[in-house]
């Protein structure tokens, strides 16, 4: 009986620990949690918006809390050369060797939440023509990308905005890129831009 009790107790704490790492359990009373991303080129602070994008924000927080973004890279730094404008900085899906990282289940696309793909917003990436396939990859809009907003088709769900670190994003945007045979993408940095650390910031009392 004692052994059974200890097993049940162990399972209880394992479940509690797992639940504590899910984004929906993190700062539950905070509608706008903030996260700091420390990269090899500087830091970025983002504010998530649970009021408009609860599924996407909590999904992002789950990956933040399990620390699986640490050591990942920004694998896509794309400019619209033809129109001489910046486009996006995308990351979170590959390690420094450009091997894909573990993905949780895909989430529902919240692109109709009213948030726009404006400059310095953060949005969920998904596979081409599969709007509900987003898992862990995210991107920063580096210009007002109106064509990424929903219309007759699904858009890309914005779930927060950059609050600090604009200069860091500008530095990342300026790195040299090229074609990467391993992942088959253009616009891949020739020198990896790495997420060294990512952490939830303390909630600021109102």
């Amino acid at each position: 009986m004692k052994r059974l009790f200890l097993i049940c107790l162990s399972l209880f704490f394992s479940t509690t620990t797992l639940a504590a790492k899910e984004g929906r359990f993190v700062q539950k009373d905070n509608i706008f949690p903030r996260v700091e991303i420390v990269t090899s080129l500087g830091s970025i602070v983002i504010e998530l918006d649970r009021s408009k994008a609860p599924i996407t924000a909590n999904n992002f927080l789950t990956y933040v809390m399990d620390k699986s973004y640490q050591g990942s890279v920004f694998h896509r730094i794309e400019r619209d050369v033809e129109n001489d404008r910046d486009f996006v900085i995308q990351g979170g899906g590959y390690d420094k060797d450009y091997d894909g990282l573990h993905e949780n289940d895909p989430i529902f696309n919240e692109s109709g939440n009213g948030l726009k793909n404006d400059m310095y917003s953060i949005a969920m990436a998904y596979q081409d023509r599969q709007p509900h396939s987003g898992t862990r990859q995210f991107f920063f809009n580096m210009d007002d990308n109106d064509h990424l907003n929903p219309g007759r088709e699904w858009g890309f769900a914005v779930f927060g905005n950059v609050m600090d670190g604009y200069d860091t994003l500008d530095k990342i945007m300026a790195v040299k890129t090229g074609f990467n045979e391993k992942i088959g993408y253009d616009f891949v940095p020739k020198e990896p831009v790495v997420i060294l650390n990512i952490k939830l910031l303390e909630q600021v009392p109102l």
Side-chain angles (χ1 to χ4, degrees):
M1 178 66 77
K2 183 177 180 181
R3 183 179 178 185
L4 179 61
F5 173 76
L6 290 174
I7 291 173
C8 291
L9 192 63
S10 176
L11 287 172
F12 171 78
F13 281 112
S14 295
T15 304
T16 303
T17 302
L18 179 63
K21 291 184 179 180
E22 291 184 23
R24 61 196 176 100
F25 294 106
V26 176
Q27 294 185 2
K28 292 191 294 184
D29 59 342
N30 187 4
I31 298 175
F32 302 104
R34 292 192 175 192
V35 170
E36 181 183 23
I37 304 172
V38 181
T39 81
S40 51
L41 291 178
S43 297
I44 307 158
V45 175
I46 57 174
E47 183 176 87
L48 310 182
D49 190 340
R50 279 172 161 158
S51 69
K52 297 285 184 67
I55 296 172
T56 316
N58 287 336
N59 174 74
F60 180 78
L61 283 173
T62 296
Y63 288 105
V64 170
M65 299 308 292
D66 72 10
K67 300 186 183 301
S68 69
Y69 280 135
Q70 291 182 200
S72 67
V73 298
F74 291 102
H75 66 277
R76 179 186 182 191
I77 301 174
E78 183 172 352
R79 295 194 78 252
D80 180 352
V81 178
E82 184 176 340
N83 295 305
D84 192 27
R85 57 188 290 270
D86 294 336
F87 182 34
V88 298
I89 296 172
Q90 184 170 329
Y94 296 92
D95 64 18
K96 288 182 287 188
D97 296 319
Y98 294 102
D99 290 322
L101 296 168
H102 169 76
E103 298 177 339
N104 296 330
D105 292 338
I107 61 172
F108 176 78
N109 185 322
E110 294 181 296
S111 61
N113 61 20
L115 299 176
K116 304 299 183 184
N117 284 274
D118 292 339
M119 189 169 182
Y120 295 129
S121 62
I122 182 171
M124 174 60 60
Y126 62 75
Q127 297 179 23
D128 291 344
R129 300 186 180 280
Q130 299 180 50
H132 305 294
S133 64
T135 56
R136 61 177 297 140
Q137 290 192 34
F138 59 90
F139 64 89
F140 292 102
N141 284 291
M142 294 303 293
D143 205 329
D144 292 341
N145 295 318
D146 295 339
H147 64 289
L148 300 184
N149 296 327
R152 296 181 66 87
E153 297 182 357
W154 293 88
F156 291 84
V158 172
F159 61 97
N161 285 286
V162 175
M163 307 304 292
D164 194 15
Y166 309 104
D167 56 334
T168 297
L169 287 171
D170 291 341
K171 287 178 186 177
I172 296 173
M173 197 72 233
V175 303
K176 294 182 179 180
T177 63
F179 180 75
N180 183 288
E181 291 185 4
K182 185 169 185 177
I183 58 176
Y185 289 168
D186 285 311
F187 310 109
V188 178
K190 294 185 176 181
E191 292 292 331
V193 180
V194 185
I195 295 177
L196 303 175
N197 191 25
I198 185 167
K199 64 181 179 179
L200 179 73
L201 297 180
E202 289 187 17
Q203 183 174 352
V204 179
L206 297 176

